[in-house]
């Protein structure tokens, strides 16, 4: 029965055990070496392969655990900033409303993504939503055009592949310095200067909680479209009732307002996306370390089985050798 | 801010009781969102439509028939919400056309701000901030939204640094060559002279 069990074990570890006749010379089971063709036909069962695997998996587990800690601390730092900036876009939505379905000719989709990877699926979601918006706008009519402004390497990699001609501007390395309003307003200024737009749609992942990120689209309309919507009534109908103080013309104030709205919504969007990125990275690294732990457990079992099988084989050889001598 | 929002929810009888301010509440005007979601589901049926800011905002109360006694002020900066739905008697904002006093029942206005002093009057106390620039929206329902790029309480300002800055920018203006440099120096002078008058006046 033991022989049958051993034969079963032997078949399972066929690649490790070389089928050689039993010889007198063998290495001690305490120091198993790589499977080797010794000059006298030595047979060693190699645990080296499994041990190497275990070492690398353990290292990976340590690295992913460390990355999770780093992401958690970065998240804590940026989360307070994000929550403080949430009040910034609300007055604009209260005044100008939210018109994602406004019918405009020149759409610009500003996709916000991360520069670094290993953060789960948030960048793919943003890119899918941006492509969806592109499709939505093109479906409404032939003269509608949609251009992309890309923030972050990951969206660039995905969008350059099939929408290269639609990309207006690519901005990377946003988070080299800590995010602040001055930087974002300069960025917003660049975008407004270089891109003609009727409506800007900012696509980002809003941070609900450490495990939940909601893809969101914020729409900023150009002053001409705002005037048009105000005249046609509906959502912005009571915009005309607002007195405009200062400036030469109402148009000038609306222009400043649109630019300010864009920079404020961009600031909030960039912060929310950074928070989502860190949160997603935390959960990705957490599941990765858990997987590594599981893999390590399974490898340990395999290692022990191999080791015990080799010990048993040695013993059987000795015993059968001894019984052959006697009998 | 969540705590303030929930306090506000408790005392607002107009709004129905809602649990979390940032949950996907019913939007104030579902029509725009509905058209967007419909159009989206028609063209892209496999993906959920993205959320829009309207679903993350508490709707504002409609214009009451009589003038309310208090003005509700939201004073926000990029880094903080200084005042969030605070009920005050009056605010004086430094609009480009001069200091503008805002009382409850003020006509709906959009005004751009210039560097100057913003003062909030609540009962007998008055808080003063120096505001660099921004916008103020006054709504018909006696809500005032002040969005400033930078605002500091007056006691945090250093007179000497203000004087130094003013001198520096004046010299920059005289030595400026391009229009851009002239504009930047002029802005510096405007802000510093406003700071000066805020501290002295």
């Amino acid at each position: 029965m033991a022989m049958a069990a051993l034969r079963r074990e032997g078949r399972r570890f066929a690649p490790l055990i070389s089928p050689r006749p039993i010889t007198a010379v063998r290495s001690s089971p305490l120091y198993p070496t790589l499977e080797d063709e010794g000059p006298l036909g030595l047979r060693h069962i190699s645990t080296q392969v499994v041990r190497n695997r275990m070492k690398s998996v353990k290292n990976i587990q340590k690295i992913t655990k460390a990355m999770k800690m780093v992401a958690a601390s970065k998240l804590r730092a940026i989360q307070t900033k994000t929550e403080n900036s949430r009040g910034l876009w609300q007055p604009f939505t209260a005044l100008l409303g939210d018109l994602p379905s406004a019918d405009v000719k020149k759409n610009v989709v500003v996709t916000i993504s991360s520069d670094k990877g290993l953060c789960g699926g948030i960048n793919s979601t943003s890119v899918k939503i941006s492509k969806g918006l592109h499709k939505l706008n093109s479906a409404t009519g032939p003269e509608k055009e949609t251009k992309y402004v890309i923030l972050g390497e990951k969206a660039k990699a995905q969008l350059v592949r099939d929408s290269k001609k639609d990309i207006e501007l690519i901005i990377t390395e946003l988070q080299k310095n800590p995010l602040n309003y001055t930087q974002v307003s300069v960025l917003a200024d660049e975008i407004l200067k270089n891109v003609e737009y009727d409506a800007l749609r900012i696509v980002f992942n809003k941070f609900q909680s450490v495990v939940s990120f909601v893809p969101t689209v914020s729409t900023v309309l150009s002053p001409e479209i705002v005037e048009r919507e105000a005249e046609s009534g509906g959502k912005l109908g009571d915009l005309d009732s607002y007195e405009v103080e200062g400036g030469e013309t109402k148009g000038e104030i609306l222009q400043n307002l649109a630019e300010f709205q864009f920079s404020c919504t961009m600031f909030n969007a960039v912060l929310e996306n950074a928070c989502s990125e860190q949160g997603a990275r935390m959960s990705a690294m957490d599941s990765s370390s858990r997987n590594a732990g599981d893999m390590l457990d399974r490898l340990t079992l395999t290692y022990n089985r191999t080791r015990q099988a080799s010990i048993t084989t040695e013993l059987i050889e000795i015993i059968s050798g001894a019984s052959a001598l006697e009998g | 801010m969540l705590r303030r929002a929930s306090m506000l929810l408790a005392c607002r009888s107009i709004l129905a009781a809602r649990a979390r301010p940032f949950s996907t509440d019913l939007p104030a005007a579902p029509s725009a969102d509905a058209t967007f979601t419909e159009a989206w589901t028609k063209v892209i049926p496999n993906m959920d439509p993205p959320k829009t800011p309207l679903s993350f905002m508490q709707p504002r109360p409609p214009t009451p028939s009589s003038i309310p006694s208090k003005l509700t002020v939201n004073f926000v900066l990029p880094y903080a919400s200084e005042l969030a739905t605070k009920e005050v008697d009056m605010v004086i904002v430094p609009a480009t056309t001069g200091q503008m006093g805002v009382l409850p029942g003020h006509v709906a206005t959009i005004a751009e701000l210039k560097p100057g002093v913003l003062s909030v009057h609540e009962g007998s106390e008055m808080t003063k901030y120096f505001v660099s620039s921004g916008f103020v929206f006054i709504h018909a329902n006696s809500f005032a939204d002040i969005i400033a790029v930078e605002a500091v309480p007056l006691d945090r300002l250093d007179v000497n640094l203000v004087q130094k800055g003013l001198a520096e920018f004046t010299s920059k203006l005289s030595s400026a060559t391009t229009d851009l440099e002239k504009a930047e120096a002029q802005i510096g002078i405007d802000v510093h002279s406003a700071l000066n008058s805020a501290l002295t006046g």
Side-chain angles (χ1 to χ4, degrees):
Chain A
M1 191 182 73
M3 288 300 288
L6 191 64
R7 242 176 278 130
R8 250 182 285 130
E9 296 266 12
R11 234 175 286 132
R12 205 183 308 169
F13 297 113
L16 295 174
I17 306 172
S18 62
R20 282 292 161 87
I22 297 167
T23 57
V25 183
R26 68 190 77 78
S27 71
S28 152
L30 290 173
Y31 302 102
T33 54
L34 281 168
E35 191 169 311
D36 203 14
E37 277 239 17
L40 296 167
L42 298 169
R43 177 165 53 158
H44 312 298
I45 296 171
S46 129
T47 55
Q48 187 70 8
V49 173
V50 183
R51 260 191 309 141
N52 283 341
R53 206 110 204 259
M54 276 169 67
K55 198 160 55 160
S56 68
V57 170
K58 206 186 297 193
N59 283 339
I60 288 178
Q61 188 184 33
K62 281 194 205 156
I63 291 171
T64 49
K65 273 209 183 119
M67 283 184 78
K68 179 185 168 194
M69 295 286 127
V70 167
S73 68
K74 286 195 181 162
L75 177 68
R76 235 175 302 136
I78 208 168
Q79 193 172 351
T80 35
K81 263 190 173 179
T82 307
E83 285 176 3
N84 287 337
S85 83
R86 279 203 179 134
L88 199 58
W89 55 264
Q90 290 184 6
F92 293 105
T93 315
L95 178 73
L96 298 169
D98 186 31
L99 296 156
S101 50
D103 203 18
V104 290
K105 284 217 183 49
K106 297 208 191 89
N107 286 292
V108 177
V109 175
V110 182
T111 316
I112 306 186
S113 67
S114 63
D115 283 331
K116 305 211 181 104
L118 296 178
C119 50
I122 53 169
N123 293 322
S124 311
T125 340
S126 294
V127 169
K128 266 194 279 186
I129 302 269
S130 313
K131 288 193 184 161
L133 282 173
H134 185 114
K135 203 164 155 198
L136 189 67
N137 290 321
S138 330
T140 47
E143 74 280 357
K144 308 277 166 60
E145 52 174 70
T146 319
K147 297 267 172 206
Y148 291 108
V149 170
I150 302 177
L151 270 76
E153 288 277 353
K154 294 290 152 189
K156 167 180 149 193
Q158 292 191 32
L159 282 171
V160 137
R161 222 179 294 147
D162 50 5
S163 315
K164 195 161 180 175
K165 56 177 173 46
D166 283 329
I167 299 176
E168 284 274 350
L169 212 58
I170 301 178
I171 299 149
T172 53
E173 292 200 0
L174 201 63
Q175 296 208 39
K176 209 152 114 175
N177 305 319
L179 289 168
N180 57 2
Y181 182 68
T182 328
Q183 172 194 31
V184 176
S185 55
V186 167
L187 195 68
D189 198 30
E190 280 291 323
I191 297 177
L192 290 172
K193 260 196 303 208
N194 293 328
V195 180
E196 274 183 31
Y197 70 101
D198 283 332
L200 287 151
R201 296 174 202 276
I202 309 172
V203 176
F204 62 103
N205 291 82
K206 193 169 167 82
F207 182 77
Q208 297 274 62
S209 78
V210 181
V211 294
S212 132
F213 325 106
V214 181
T216 317
V217 166
S218 289
T219 318
V220 174
L221 300 169
S222 77
E224 296 89 23
I225 302 291
V226 169
E227 291 259 16
R228 191 191 77 185
E229 293 285 328
E231 274 160 35
S232 67
K235 293 283 302 301
L236 286 181
D238 47 356
L239 191 64
D240 277 334
S241 64
Y242 282 80
E243 290 261 337
V244 176
E245 290 268 340
E248 271 91 70
T249 60
K250 183 174 175 185
E252 198 183 302
I253 300 280
L254 282 182
Q255 172 82 9
N256 288 344
L257 188 65
E259 293 181 2
F260 193 41
Q261 182 187 10
F262 182 51
S263 76
C264 287
T265 19
M266 272 293 278
F267 183 60
N268 185 55
V270 168
L271 278 177
E272 298 266 0
N273 205 57
C275 256
S276 309
E277 177 199 336
Q278 300 298 345
R281 187 165 297 132
M282 255 181 79
S283 53
M285 292 296 105
D286 182 49
S287 60
S288 165
S289 0
R290 216 172 304 130
N291 279 343
D294 288 344
M295 204 184 276
L296 203 57
D297 288 340
R298 271 183 280 131
L299 282 172
T300 313
L301 289 176
T302 315
Y303 174 70
N304 284 331
R305 264 202 301 256
T306 327
R307 192 174 51 83
Q308 288 161 3
S310 81
I311 295 172
T312 318
T313 323
E314 301 285 353
L315 285 173
I316 301 262
E317 286 172 10
I318 297 170
I319 293 170
S320 42
S323 66
L325 283 174
E326 282 170 29
Chain B
M1 191 175 161
L2 275 172
R3 245 177 279 131
R4 266 186 246 145
S6 53
M7 254 172 23
L8 172 273
L9 281 170
C11 60
R12 272 233 212 124
S13 54
I14 303 167
L15 289 176
R18 293 212 190 148
R20 285 155 32 213
F22 291 124
S23 70
T24 49
D25 286 338
L26 281 170
S31 55
D33 277 0
T35 39
F36 180 63
T37 26
E38 275 170 32
W40 179 277
T41 36
K42 254 197 291 191
V43 183
I44 307 130
N46 304 332
M47 248 197 296
D48 280 334
K51 295 263 176 332
T52 50
L54 213 54
S55 47
F56 296 118
M57 221 181 91
Q58 283 170 333
R60 295 287 176 85
T63 314
S65 46
S66 64
I67 298 175
S69 58
K70 293 273 202 189
L71 185 70
T72 324
V73 167
N74 285 324
F75 179 27
V76 286
L77 304 172
Y79 300 111
S81 294
E82 280 286 336
L83 304 169
T85 49
K86 181 151 183 231
E87 308 231 323
V88 296
D89 295 321
M90 178 172 79
V91 284
I92 303 181
V93 294
T96 39
T97 47
Q99 297 279 27
M100 189 164 78
V102 183
L103 289 155
H106 196 285
V107 65
T109 312
I110 303 173
E112 202 178 332
L113 301 176
K114 67 166 195 259
V117 177
L118 170 88
S119 45
V120 177
H121 300 254
E122 168 63 30
S124 53
E125 45 180 68
M126 182 172 77
T127 352
K128 279 194 180 172
Y129 300 92
F130 183 81
V131 161
S132 71
S133 56
F135 267 85
V136 64
F137 308 142
I138 307 167
H139 302 276
N141 52 8
S142 293
F143 262 71
D145 292 316
I146 309 169
I147 312 143
V149 175
E150 191 67 65
V152 284
L154 282 183
D155 48 14
R156 303 255 296 268
L157 296 170
D158 182 353
V159 187
N160 302 324
L161 286 175
V162 171
Q163 302 286 6
K164 249 196 333 190
L166 187 59
E168 189 188 317
F169 278 101
T170 330
S171 69
K172 268 204 198 147
L173 181 63
S174 45
S175 67
T177 44
T178 64
D179 273 339
L180 182 65
E181 282 177 33
K182 282 207 190 98
E184 285 177 7
Q186 187 62 46
I187 293 173
I189 292 181
D190 285 341
V191 175
H192 280 86
S193 38
L195 277 166
N196 216 358
S197 53
L199 288 170
T200 51

